């Protein structure tokens, strides 16, 4: 993504908190991993790449179709910045929401040309 002068967009698709387990079975601290995500997002934005986080929820109740999100809005804000930089997505709307975000990103790109 660093090469070239064209507009760059990175979509980070996740279903929850960042997690990592080393080969020896040790887990890394969730807060430390969130800080890692925050720093990486900040660094890639400095290079001119737009970053949008997308948190996909899970259906908690099949009858009511209630959706549960593992990450709170404040945690998304911590990792990705303002509300305009991240979105909570219903699992049944993922395809449509991805198309909408790509179309919106492309439209904004065209407006700058």
């Amino acid at each position: 993504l660093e090469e070239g002068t064209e507009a760059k967009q990175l979509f980070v698709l996740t279903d929850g908190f960042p997690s990592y387990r080393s080969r020896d079975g040790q887990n890394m601290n969730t807060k430390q991993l969130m800080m890692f995500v925050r720093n990486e997002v900040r660094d890639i934005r400095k290079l001119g790449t737009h970053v949008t986080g997308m948190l996909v929820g899970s259906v908690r109740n099949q009858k009511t179709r209630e959706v549960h999100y593992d990450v709170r809005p404040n945690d998304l804000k911590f990792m990705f910045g303002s509300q305009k930089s991240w979105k909570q997505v219903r699992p049944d709307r993922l395809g449509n929401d991805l198309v909408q975000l790509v179309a919106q990103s492309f439209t904004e790109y065209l407006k700058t040309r």
Side-chain angles (χ1 to χ4, degrees), residues 11 54 93-106:
F11 297 106
M54 296 183 70
R93 297 250 338 133
L94 178 59
N96 291 334
D97 286 352
L98 274 171
V99 169
Q100 182 182 3
L101 279 173
V102 170
Q104 179 183 355
S105 176
F106 186 64

Side-chain angles (χ1 to χ4, degrees), residues 16-21 26-38 70-72 75 78-79:
F17 285 107
S19 61
Y20 176 80
R21 180 171 291 168
Q26 292 187 341
N27 290 326
M28 286 186 72
N29 178 290
T30 300
K31 190 67 171 177
Q32 183 180 7
L33 290 167
M34 289 172 60
M35 183 63 79
F36 174 78
V37 171
R38 176 187 174 118
D70 289 337
V71 181
R72 297 180 315 244
D75 296 321
F78 177 80
M79 291 184 285

Side-chain angles (χ1 to χ4, degrees), residues 12-19 54-58 68-71:
V12 179
L13 197 59
T14 184
D15 65 348
F17 285 107
S19 61
M54 296 183 70
L55 173 66
V56 182
S58 58
H68 169 74
Y69 297 99
D70 289 337
V71 181

Side-chain angles (χ1 to χ4, degrees), residues 40-59:
E40 291 297 312
V41 167
R42 187 177 294 157
D43 288 348
I44 198 165
R45 283 182 176 147
K46 286 180 185 176
L47 296 172
T49 299
H50 299 280
V51 180
T52 303
M54 296 183 70
L55 173 66
V56 182
S58 58
V59 176

